[in-house]
Amino acid sequence: MVTSELPPFRSTLKTVTLVFKIPYYTQWGQSLLISGSEPLFGSWDVKRGLLLSPVHKPDDLLWWEKITVASGFRSEYSYYVVNDDRNVLRWEAGRRREVILPEGTQEGVVEIYDLWQAATETLFFRSAFKNVIFAEEWCWNQKKPPNTIVRTLRKKVLPSEKQYGSIVIQFKISCPRIDEGTLVYVTGNASELGHWNAQNGLRLFYVGGSVWQGECMMRKDDFPIKYPFCYSQNRKSGDSLLEIGQNRELKLDLTAGNPPNFVYLSDGSFREIPWRGAGVAVPMFSVRSEDDLGVGEFLDLKLLVDWAVDSGFHLVQLLPVNDTSVHGTWWDSYPYSSLSVFALHPLYLRLEALSQNIPEEVKQEIFIKKEELNGQSVDYEATMATKLFIAKKIFSLEKETILSSSSFLKFFSENKEWLKPYAAFCFLRDFFETSDHSQWGRFSNYSEEKLEKILSKDSLQYDIISFHYYIQFHLHLQLSEAAEYAKKRKVVLKGDLPIGVDRNSVDTWVYPTLFRMNTSTGAPPDFFDKNGQNWGFPTYNWEEMSKDNYAWWRARLTQMAKYFTAYRIDHILGFFRIWELPEHDELEREGIWDFDRLSRPYIRQETLQDKFGTFWPGIIAHFLDENPNHCFQFKDQCNTEKKIVAKVETGTGKSLWLDRKDKILRGLIDLLQNIVLIRDPEDGSKFYPRFNMEDTSSFRDLDEHCKNVMRRLYHDYYFCRQDELWHMLACGEDLGFIPSCVYPVMQELGLIGLRIQRMAAEPGVEFGLPSNYNYMTVCAPSCHDCSTMRAWWEEDEERRFRFYRTVVGSNQAPPSRCIPELAQFILRQHFESPSMWAIFPIQDLLALKEEYTTRPATEETINDPTNPKHYWRFRVHVSLETLLGDEELKGTIKDLVKESGRSYPVRDQVKDHEAGGRTVHSDAECKKQIQNGLVKIPLQVNVQSE
């Protein structure tokens, strides 16, 4: 109902003009549109959305459109970037917007000024921040009084001669990092905004979801308005914190015939010093404690979290923890070859936590095995066998009690979709003594009917089946306990999502149509392996997965979210490197006709002599046939990598090369890869260029015309024609070969890249400078796929000299070892970088103290990517209890965190943590230190408004 206090013209008409305006730069052929819940916006059909029109401004490209709506109109909406056919190229991040006309509005113009919601602005709405680091700040229950626009109009009616020259402005700002009890204001050059006096500015009210808003009435002569937002803990104290960056500005075209009556300003997020945190990375199997049995266990994470908090870390990062029990040997130590993407690994079970009634003789057995298996490295096979053997004893004593308990029944009900097939698979694997389900006779093909027969409670094997239920139940309890403890201490637990599954896995058995079993995943030549990598995992059948809206992926991510609030997707580029292949005629038009020459291994006698020396005739005899053009080709029985490996391992001539098997195998695979073009296996008329083709002798022996054509096609293929495809990436790891278009897309999607100093992202640069890293990155001196900081330092004397000269800035001879002083220099560079996260392998942190560097550095390497049969068995040689008691090391690390201005969790000194005390983060303290000049913040970070 319109009251007499409102300007009288509002009671006569019943339509309102809505004007949307948003600044956003697009490329040629791209447009912005609004899609929303109402028919005017296409009812969420982007093809029928409201297309905006561009207007070039001096500093912006402004997109706008106006529509007429009925009084009381309301709608949700979002912005989309589309091409000329209205195909979606990208969309803004964050929650859906909502337009609600002010109560009583029946006439006039409402202008809505929006800013594109980039994913970088929504980072703090993700669970790692919302549910862990800033959890308490998100528990506010203060709400904005209703109908504030109408109340503003009633309260602030201007003198009659100026009423129709007034405009109501609604300010809205997101403040996800605000401390409880903080007040939010707008100040600026208008009287309603306090004439730059923050204490007299417009106070905003909390409306939920970290959003604050408020309204005021402005005169036309107040425009243009310049304003920032500010925080204050106490309005009377005069203490306030202005947002950083340039002042915001609102300009209105008041010369037009119909100026707005209302203006909605959605100003994005409060601009403050970028939040930066630090963390520690360590594989679960590498952790050592006084309570574990041969390997790190899930409950050890509580001690690791305590150490992380004491050292100033907000994050603990692990490698994958899924069950990998495919072979029943130490080959299963490879954590990325999942037997099941849902099941947890029994390796990380703590036996003593299975029951409160463990017999004394079993306790003694556990104690003895702890002593036996407390070695320098993990003995995978012995540890697995011991844990399962003892767990079966405990299970036999309490299975009826546990399997009938309400907690187990709840777990079973929530997880039976994957748990039942997993238990059946484990039984069949052991029964047939192989995980290759193609060897299981009538059970090779999965069906629900067969599954229920295997799982029947009346079957002889039900005890075996229920044992697998029991183990997974307790693993769930133990990891959940550790995860909840980490949340309470404001530590993010970061998991790892492997790119693939083992081809002999539960998932390929149950969902065979989701995988292309005749193909293998791998990586092209890169920093880790110049010859590339073949992981052997089947690739995904994305077309089939799309039919149920990627239900398998959704279930997989949901399962991870039960325990982790952040996760790394392993080699994520492999998920999306789906290339558009050049066709046969495209090459013919360039005068390229001999496709066999370019797409088959190019093998000449001189190449064989160079690779195999005097043994080259033997290679021809066993592996090759000669062509009429004086080249050689592989025999049919060894023309793939898999066939070559089999022949070298088991062929009739294996006795001839026993002492040089590895060299011959590597040489033959190199020959197999000596091609320029790769023929598409599904369409023989299509090809794509081999990565790093110019490094092959096949390319070097081409004539100049062919070389130039292939160079041009190579560049077009990898760097130009894939640009639009790359815009669809959900990409996180950006080491190695990355097209230049990926970086802006990652920023747009809020994806955090990885920076390793020795793998500089800039061309022509040997060592990266952490001070130059982008904010949207994780920086680290090393990772699990390369040597540690100490080992890398000792590997190459000449490289050591170059690093010392270019990075340290000294022409003196560098130390031959990575001494603690040098380690601290390198680590400090990373702590002080602009990167959002600095995450350090625990081995690199131990290098800060001399007594922890007595172990040979080479023994600290977790993985060797060039060795497909690497044994993943590294264990930290220092127990968590020892590290927790080392105040010197913890103090050194925490000083590095604090002095760099990174946020860190601190303990509430008022209450004891175990008695319910809470851990609070130090964001507010960091801000104070920065304001007082006590902490130096790198200025490379862009903090300007969009």
Side-chain angles (χ1 to χ4, degrees), residues 766-767 790-803 814-816:
E766 185 176 14
F767 311 113
R790 282 204 306 134
W792 178 81
W793 185 261
E794 297 174 7
E795 284 169 357
D796 188 326
E797 183 179 5
E798 291 184 4
R799 183 181 62 198
R800 191 161 64 229
F801 270 86
R802 294 194 301 273
F803 183 92
S816 59

Side-chain angles (χ1 to χ4, degrees), residues 157-168:
V157 174
L158 303 174
S160 59
E161 68 271 19
K162 295 185 178 179
Q163 282 185 17
Y164 304 106
S166 62
I167 300 171
V168 175

